[in-house]
Short mmCIF file of all heavy atoms in Angstrom, two decimals:
data_model
loop_
_atom_site.label_atom_id
_atom_site.label_comp_id
_atom_site.label_asym_id
_atom_site.label_seq_id
_atom_site.Cartn_x
_atom_site.Cartn_y
_atom_site.Cartn_z
N CYS A 110 -0.05 99.00 41.65
CA CYS A 110 0.54 98.73 42.96
C CYS A 110 -0.47 97.88 43.73
O CYS A 110 -0.13 96.84 44.28
CB CYS A 110 0.83 100.03 43.70
SG CYS A 110 1.50 99.74 45.34
N ARG A 134 2.34 93.51 37.51
CA ARG A 134 2.26 93.46 38.97
C ARG A 134 0.84 93.82 39.36
O ARG A 134 0.20 94.68 38.73
CB ARG A 134 3.26 94.39 39.65
CG ARG A 134 3.17 95.88 39.28
CD ARG A 134 3.82 96.75 40.34
NE ARG A 134 3.14 96.63 41.61
CZ ARG A 134 3.71 96.68 42.80
NH1 ARG A 134 4.99 96.88 42.90
NH2 ARG A 134 3.00 96.55 43.91
N LYS A 139 -1.90 94.05 50.75
CA LYS A 139 -0.99 95.18 50.89
C LYS A 139 -0.55 95.39 52.33
O LYS A 139 -1.40 95.57 53.21
CB LYS A 139 -1.69 96.47 50.41
CG LYS A 139 -2.11 96.47 48.95
CD LYS A 139 -0.97 96.19 47.99
CE LYS A 139 0.15 97.21 48.02
NZ LYS A 139 1.24 96.84 47.09
N PRO A 140 0.74 95.36 52.60
CA PRO A 140 1.22 95.66 53.95
C PRO A 140 1.24 97.18 54.12
O PRO A 140 1.96 97.86 53.40
CB PRO A 140 2.64 95.09 53.93
CG PRO A 140 3.07 95.20 52.50
CD PRO A 140 1.84 95.17 51.64
N GLU A 173 2.39 90.37 45.99
CA GLU A 173 2.95 90.23 47.34
C GLU A 173 2.03 89.39 48.22
O GLU A 173 0.81 89.49 48.13
CB GLU A 173 3.16 91.61 47.98
CG GLU A 173 3.68 91.51 49.41
CD GLU A 173 4.27 92.80 49.97
OE1 GLU A 173 4.29 93.81 49.24
OE2 GLU A 173 4.70 92.76 51.13
N GLN A 199 5.57 87.56 45.91
CA GLN A 199 6.50 88.63 46.27
C GLN A 199 6.62 88.68 47.79
O GLN A 199 5.61 88.67 48.50
CB GLN A 199 5.89 89.92 45.74
CG GLN A 199 6.79 91.10 45.64
CD GLN A 199 6.07 92.27 44.95
OE1 GLN A 199 5.44 92.11 43.91
NE2 GLN A 199 6.15 93.44 45.55
N GLY A 201 7.77 91.17 50.45
CA GLY A 201 8.05 92.59 50.48
C GLY A 201 9.18 92.95 51.43
O GLY A 201 9.63 92.13 52.24
N THR A 202 9.62 94.19 51.30
CA THR A 202 10.75 94.67 52.10
C THR A 202 10.49 94.53 53.60
O THR A 202 11.40 94.30 54.37
CB THR A 202 11.04 96.15 51.72
OG1 THR A 202 12.29 96.52 52.25
CG2 THR A 202 9.96 97.12 52.21
N ARG A 203 9.21 94.66 53.99
CA ARG A 203 8.88 94.60 55.42
C ARG A 203 8.88 93.18 55.97
O ARG A 203 8.91 92.98 57.18
CB ARG A 203 7.52 95.26 55.66
CG ARG A 203 7.54 96.73 55.39
CD ARG A 203 6.15 97.30 55.16
NE ARG A 203 6.24 98.70 54.78
CZ ARG A 203 6.50 99.13 53.53
NH1 ARG A 203 6.66 98.25 52.56
NH2 ARG A 203 6.58 100.41 53.26
N LYS A 225 12.26 91.07 47.97
CA LYS A 225 12.75 92.46 47.86
C LYS A 225 13.64 92.83 49.03
O LYS A 225 13.33 92.51 50.18
CB LYS A 225 11.54 93.40 47.75
CG LYS A 225 10.79 93.18 46.44
CD LYS A 225 9.58 94.05 46.31
CE LYS A 225 9.91 95.42 45.78
NZ LYS A 225 8.67 96.22 45.58
N ARG A 255 14.96 97.93 45.74
CA ARG A 255 13.83 98.87 45.77
C ARG A 255 14.15 100.11 46.59
O ARG A 255 13.27 100.79 47.07
CB ARG A 255 12.59 98.16 46.30
CG ARG A 255 12.79 97.30 47.52
CD ARG A 255 12.76 98.03 48.84
NE ARG A 255 11.44 98.52 49.13
CZ ARG A 255 11.18 99.67 49.74
NH1 ARG A 255 12.20 100.44 50.15
NH2 ARG A 255 9.95 100.06 49.99
N ASP A 288 13.05 98.11 41.29
CA ASP A 288 11.73 98.71 41.45
C ASP A 288 11.92 100.22 41.55
O ASP A 288 12.22 100.75 42.62
CB ASP A 288 11.06 98.16 42.71
CG ASP A 288 9.71 98.82 43.00
OD1 ASP A 288 9.43 99.89 42.41
OD2 ASP A 288 8.96 98.30 43.83
N HIS A 291 9.02 102.30 43.99
CA HIS A 291 9.16 102.40 45.44
C HIS A 291 10.48 103.04 45.84
O HIS A 291 10.65 103.46 46.98
CB HIS A 291 8.95 101.03 46.09
CG HIS A 291 7.51 100.58 46.00
ND1 HIS A 291 7.00 99.98 44.88
CD2 HIS A 291 6.48 100.73 46.86
CE1 HIS A 291 5.71 99.74 45.06
NE2 HIS A 291 5.36 100.19 46.25
N LEU A 322 10.07 96.22 38.05
CA LEU A 322 8.75 96.19 38.67
C LEU A 322 8.33 97.65 38.81
O LEU A 322 9.01 98.43 39.48
CB LEU A 322 8.86 95.55 40.06
CG LEU A 322 7.59 95.23 40.81
CD1 LEU A 322 6.92 94.00 40.20
CD2 LEU A 322 7.89 94.94 42.29
C1 LIG B 1 5.17 96.70 46.53
O1 LIG B 1 5.92 96.31 45.60
O2 LIG B 1 3.96 96.88 46.39
C2 LIG B 1 5.75 96.99 47.84
C3 LIG B 1 4.99 97.19 48.91
O3 LIG B 1 7.07 97.03 47.80
P1 LIG B 1 8.14 97.06 49.01
O4 LIG B 1 7.92 95.79 49.77
O5 LIG B 1 9.43 97.11 48.29
O6 LIG B 1 7.84 98.30 49.81
#
Side-chain angles (χ1 to χ4, degrees):
C110 178
R134 58 159 297 146
K139 298 304 298 178
E173 177 164 359
Q199 196 174 313
T202 193
R203 294 160 186 82
K225 293 178 85 176
R255 45 83 69 216
D288 176 344
H291 290 82
L322 189 74

